[in-house]
Amino acid sequence: MATRSGSRFCGRTRRRYGLAAEAGQSSQSSAEHRATADHTLAHFEVADIETVVGELEKREVKFIDYADGPLQTTGHIAQIGPARGAWLRDPDGNVLGLRQAP
């Protein structure tokens, strides 16, 4: 692959410093390009974590529960210092978090 210093989004590829990162879909199936993070990819701040967890459970969202180690969930929610958190997976398998600040 040739090194290019510019960016090109029309072709759904951005190259910089000899690296290419795909954005959007290509002619190959998305399953072939799918990669998942093995850590929390993003957190979403919520005002009332119990309500949000309950609403998502009604929509059949499955939460990740932790029982071992320093992080333990009760009702899918963990106390993290003064904050509270819950985790779930998106359709691609990435871990997303909900966070309620104190």
Side-chain angles (χ1 to χ4, degrees):
M1 166 179 11
T3 301
R4 295 171 61 174
S5 61
S7 297
R8 181 173 57 94
F9 286 103
C10 298
R12 303 223 184 269
T13 300
R14 179 181 177 149
R15 290 188 177 110
R16 190 174 281 301
Y17 309 113
L19 301 174
E22 292 200 347
Q25 295 180 0
S26 69
S27 59
Q28 296 178 350
S29 74
S30 61
E32 293 177 37
H33 290 100
R34 192 173 297 159
T36 58
D38 59 356
H39 58 280
T40 303
L41 190 62
H43 271 99
F44 297 93
E45 291 290 324
V46 297
D48 182 351
I49 197 164
E50 280 108 358
T51 300
V52 174
V53 167
E55 288 296 318
L56 290 172
E57 279 187 305
K58 288 178 188 174
R59 296 178 185 191
E60 300 182 9
V61 171
K62 304 295 182 208
F63 284 86
I64 302 168
D65 289 313
Y66 299 97
D68 299 324
L71 185 63
Q72 296 195 13
T73 54
T74 301
H76 309 303
I77 301 170
Q79 189 72 40
I80 310 163
R84 300 170 74 207
W87 295 266
L88 56 126
R89 293 193 184 274
D90 71 8
D92 290 331
N94 295 300
V95 178
L96 303 177
L98 302 173
R99 181 181 179 275
Q100 179 181 333

